[in-house]
Each structure stands twice: as structure tokens, then as C-alpha cells.
Amino acid sequence: MVNNRMLSVSLNLNIRGMAPSATLAINEISRLRASEGREVFKFGLGQSPFPVPDQVVRALQENAFQKDYLPVKGLPELREAVASYLGRSQRLSRDGADVLIGPGSKELMFILQLVYYGELVIPRPSWVSYAPQANIIGRKVTWVPTKRENDWHLMPEDLMRICADDPDRPRIVILNYPSNPTGSTYRTEDLKDLARVARAHKVVLLSDEIYGELHHKGQHVSIARFYPEGTIVSGGLSKWCGAGGWRLGTFSFPSELRWLLDAMAVVASETFTSTSAPIQYAAIRAYEGGDEVGLYLQRCRRMLGVLGRCCSRTLTDAGVDVTRPKGAFYLFLDFGAHADRLGRNGIESGKDLCRVLLEETGVALLPGCDFGGPEEELTARLSYVDFDGARALDAAERLGKEQPLNGEFLRANCPRVLEGVGRIGDWLGGK
Ligand SMILES: Cc1ncc(COP(=O)(O)O)c(C=O)c1O
């Protein structure tokens, strides 16, 4: 009787058929394996290896006493700081009133999809949560196919084709770069072309720039420069500030979309109320920037660039097709060239690939299908973050700016990443 009642309750769930977020699930499996004393190379989770900059931690300590609820749209000084950061870094003329603060950009994305009745358009592969959020809300998702030879980028002609089919349909297009899962980014000319299409079809463009500050050369360009009136820039502290667990995300709107910001604030007021007060005060310090934060970022970028290129070379030499890393801490691996050989070993999908690889080598990756790729595609995302970021930053500081971060540096500071990546090559060679 009780079971029957429970069963009927579960059938009424709004999220039938959905599982917990893919990245969190692989983390759980890795943790379980580690708790059994088995080796795990944790390349599944997309978390920054670096500590929060000292200055920002101090700001949080100083503000631990802040206990009041803050305004639903965010602390006015923080909204100003975010706007002026975007002015400095991207020459965007937005002011504090254009900024919405939330408990992580993920939450803000969900609320955006909730309040804006539009179809979601995303390239394949894309970050794991965009489509599930649309599914929870009941929105249509259109996946745009991309190609390896185009670095898995959204092509303007493909976006044009989709928008031209039913041109009056409201749409949210999400562009994410530097990209999770590929680690690649767009050239300025490509952004201009995409912006032209977005403007012609008046789409709401959500530019997910959460990894913008982790462009390995510090040369991130926001597409909002080329389609300011329709672009919402999404960001937050999670990646560039190493503060994923602090849960602070930012949306910056053009004044033309103020009505959307206001609509989102209504939902925010009925759900999360406001973002944690001490975190918002500390975030002001992060967005003000300055020398200490600037140096921290330079070191993080330099390390990620050197390490990403080193991993990419090792894997390429081992016969894996890998995107060239330009930002963030991801590589997208394509084992398609070895499909016959892997197939003879019972590996016929990205999930098979990741399961067998984890079992036989201890390397945890996420299959490409978690990012919307076809099940049978032998692709996977690798996060090269399994190292002690605090130690590595200290070592980079001691070395100074002039000294190269060479193989010796990586072997001393990122040994697990190098070993895990080497194991993928050895495993493939042995198949
Ligand atoms: C591409 C991308 N966008 C958004 C997020 C969400 O970040 P947060 O909710 O921590 O701001 C993540 C986190 O992994 C991400 O990789």
C-alpha cells in the first residue's frame, strides 16, 4: 500500500527520467572508488584547482558579521563593481542597475529560462546543465550540430538556418567560451559573424563567459561588444576566483532587456530571496581587481596554458584527436579514429569508453554524450585539474615571471595530471 502510494508520487514528478547532474555523478563514483582504496585520476569534475585569492578570502573574513538579507537584485556596491569590471575589461557601458546577482550563474540561467518563454538553442556539445534546465521547465531545446574541424564551434550559417525556420519564434541562444567542454574559444571575427545573425533574428543571446578570465592569454573578448542590445553576459566567482562553493553568479543585461532582469528578480524574490551577504561583500573585492588579483590571474592562466598544451601534445602523440586548449581547464578527446579497435574490445559508445577507462586505468572522464553528443560518439571531456593549485601557484611565484614553466615544473607540481594523461595513451596503445 505504502509502496503503491510512493510509486504514484514518483510518477507525478516533474523531472521523470532525469538523473542528477552528470558532472556531480562522476565525482560520486570517483569518491567511492577512492574510498575503496583504488586509485582515481579525477579528471571528471570541472572545478578550479586554485585557492581563492588571499585578498578575497580576507574580505570574506572581515564580512562574516554581515547578517541581514540584502536586496533581491544584489548588493548595490557589488552590482556597481561588476558593471565597472565589465567596462574595464570589455568596454561595455552597463551600470549597476543592469546587473543581477544570484547564488551561482546556474541558478540565474534556470530563472532566465523560466521567465522567458523561448526555445533554447545550444551547440552540440554544450555544458551539461543548459538542456536539463530547459527540460525541467518544459522548453523546447534545439541542438545545433558542430564539427571537430571547426573546433566544435557554433557556425553562423547553422544559427542562421535555425533562426530562419520560423523567424518570429522567441529564442534564447547560449554561447559559452572559453568552452566547457572543449577548452576552445572563438576568434573576434567569428563573434562578429555570430552577433550579426543574432541581431538579424533578435534572439536573446546568453553569453556564458564564466571562463572568460581563464583565457590562457588573458585575451577574452565578449560578444556583447558586437550585439550589446541583445546580449546578457553571464559570469561569477566560481572559476576564475576558484570559489565554486561560494555560490555567486552575475548576469549583466543591456538596458533594452531591463524588463527581463525585473522579471527574473520577481522569481528570485519568491525563491532564493537574496545571495549570501558575506559572499557579496567579499565579491566586491574580487571585482575591484588590483595588483594582487591581477598577479593571481596571470599565474593561473600561465599554468593552465602550459599544462593544457602539454596534455594535448601527449594525447595527440598517442593518437587521440584533441582540441587545442585556449582557455579554462578542459580538453575534448575524440577516439573516433580507433573505433574499430575499441569496438573489438566491446567499447561502442562514449559511456563504454569512460567506464572501461576508469576501470582499467583509474582515469575518470565524462563521456561526450553528457554534453549532448551522440551516444555512439567516442568522445570524452578531460578536466586537467587533479593537482594542488595552491602549491603550484606558490611554486610559480618563486620561479618568477621570466622563468618558463617547463616539463620539470609540471612534473613537480602536476604529477597526477601527467601520469593520468600518460595512462590514457598507454591504455589506447595496448588495445
Ligand atoms: C559553462 C558553465 N557555465 C556555468 C556554470 C555554473 O557556474 P556557477 O553556477 O558556479 O556560477 C558552469 C559550472 O561548472 C560551467 O562550466
Side-chain angles (χ1 to χ4, degrees):
M1 183 63 196
V2 170
N3 278 348
N4 279 348
R5 205 177 309 130
M6 279 167 61
L7 185 67
S8 65
V9 169
S10 90
L11 288 175
N12 289 335
L13 278 176
N14 205 15
I15 55 162
R16 247 190 294 170
M18 293 182 70
S21 163
T23 29
L24 302 181
I26 192 83
N27 197 33
E28 272 313 302
I29 297 171
S30 304
R31 232 200 305 263
L32 198 67
R33 203 181 140 97
S35 73
E36 291 165 354
R38 303 168 77 196
E39 189 163 39
V40 186
F41 297 89
K42 291 186 192 151
F43 299 163
L45 185 70
Q47 172 155 290
S48 165
F50 300 113
V52 180
D54 289 344
Q55 205 185 20
V56 183
V57 172
R58 279 198 299 278
L60 181 60
Q61 287 164 342
E62 287 159 17
N63 283 286
F65 73 94
Q66 303 281 2
K67 62 166 198 59
D68 292 341
Y69 290 117
L70 294 179
V72 63
K73 291 179 181 172
L75 181 65
E77 299 90 308
L78 175 59
R79 297 171 74 201
E80 282 301 333
V82 172
S84 78
Y85 154 79
L86 285 171
R88 274 193 323 274
S89 59
Q90 297 296 336
R91 287 181 262 129
L92 293 186
S93 59
R94 295 191 174 174
D95 62 34
D98 299 321
V99 174
L100 179 62
I101 307 294
S105 61
K106 192 180 198 172
E107 181 67 23
L108 293 178
M109 286 170 194
F110 183 74
I111 295 179
L112 173 67
Q113 293 207 56
L114 190 71
V115 300
Y116 187 72
Y117 186 78
E119 163 191 28
L120 179 69
V121 178
I122 43 177
R124 190 193 293 282
S126 272
W127 178 52
V128 289
S129 289
Y130 304 135
Q133 289 190 345
N135 292 336
I136 291 169
I137 297 166
R139 297 281 183 263
K140 181 175 185 298
V141 181
T142 297
W143 288 94
V144 191
T146 64
K147 293 197 179 113
R148 164 69 189 99
E149 56 266 34
N150 297 327
D151 281 339
W152 311 101
H153 283 180
L154 176 63
M155 291 286 128
E157 55 276 20
D158 292 329
L159 182 59
M160 175 85 92
R161 186 176 34 78
I162 281 161
C163 293
D165 174 27
D166 193 357
D168 296 327
R169 183 192 285 250
R171 291 185 172 91
I172 299 175
V173 177
I174 305 187
L175 195 65
N176 162 234
Y177 66 99
S179 155
N180 177 4
T182 69
S184 115
T185 196
Y186 287 80
R187 295 174 312 167
T188 303
E189 306 89 88
D190 304 332
L191 295 174
K192 286 183 181 165
D193 291 343
L194 285 168
R196 257 192 292 279
V197 179
R199 170 172 292 133
H201 291 280
K202 298 189 172 56
V203 302
V204 170
L205 182 60
L206 180 68
S207 187
D208 182 352
E209 303 182 21
I210 192 116
Y211 298 98
E213 287 293 352
L214 294 183
H215 183 294
H216 296 163
K217 294 195 170 146
Q219 293 170 353
H220 177 72
V221 173
S222 175
I223 193 168
R225 287 194 201 176
F226 314 119
Y227 178 40
E229 72 278 19
T231 304
I232 302 168
V233 181
S234 177
L237 292 185
S238 298
K239 309 298 173 176
W240 71 268
C241 211
W246 286 21
R247 309 308 302 129
L248 185 126
T250 66
F251 266 20
S252 138
F253 295 75
S255 52
E256 289 85 345
L257 295 182
R258 178 69 55 82
W259 55 273
L260 206 44
L261 188 162
D262 290 339
M264 286 180 64
V266 172
V267 177
S269 74
E270 300 294 2
T271 52
F272 66 78
T273 305
S274 64
T275 304
S276 157
I279 300 291
Q280 291 203 54
Y281 281 97
I284 297 174
R285 190 75 58 84
Y287 281 103
E288 279 170 354
D291 290 348
E292 204 180 304
V293 171
L295 262 177
Y296 162 91
L297 270 176
Q298 270 176 26
R299 290 193 188 113
C300 294
R301 288 174 187 145
R302 195 164 162 233
M303 277 223 46
L304 292 175
V306 171
L307 183 58
R309 285 191 294 278
C310 174
C311 295
S312 162
R313 262 195 313 274
T314 306
L315 289 162
T316 306
D317 290 348
V320 185
D321 190 354
V322 191
T323 44
R324 272 167 51 85
K326 299 280 172 50
F329 30 71
Y330 304 110
L331 296 174
F332 203 62
L333 318 185
D334 187 348
F335 292 76
H338 307 279
D340 288 346
R341 220 150 32 95
L342 293 174
R344 284 195 290 278
N345 285 274
I347 297 171
E348 290 179 339
S349 67
K351 275 192 184 145
D352 289 345
L353 174 77
C354 292
R355 185 176 37 76
V356 177
L357 195 66
L358 181 58
E359 194 49 42
E360 297 185 359
T361 67
V363 172
L365 304 180
L366 278 184
C369 60
D370 283 351
F371 303 90
E375 293 271 339
E376 66 282 5
E377 195 178 82
L378 295 174
T379 53
R381 186 195 76 178
L382 183 155
S383 313
Y384 46 96
V385 294
D386 192 353
F387 63 94
D388 180 341
R391 209 186 110 185
L393 279 187
D394 283 349
E397 185 178 352
R398 281 196 302 278
L399 208 59
K401 223 159 80 183
E402 296 72 34
Q403 296 292 325
L405 300 184
N406 53 19
E408 194 187 332
F409 179 91
L410 295 182
R411 277 191 296 280
N413 292 289
C414 316
R416 294 189 57 70
V417 174
L418 300 192
E419 179 171 353
V421 164
R423 282 197 189 187
I424 300 175
D426 295 345
W427 175 84
L428 190 60
K431 285 284 160 206

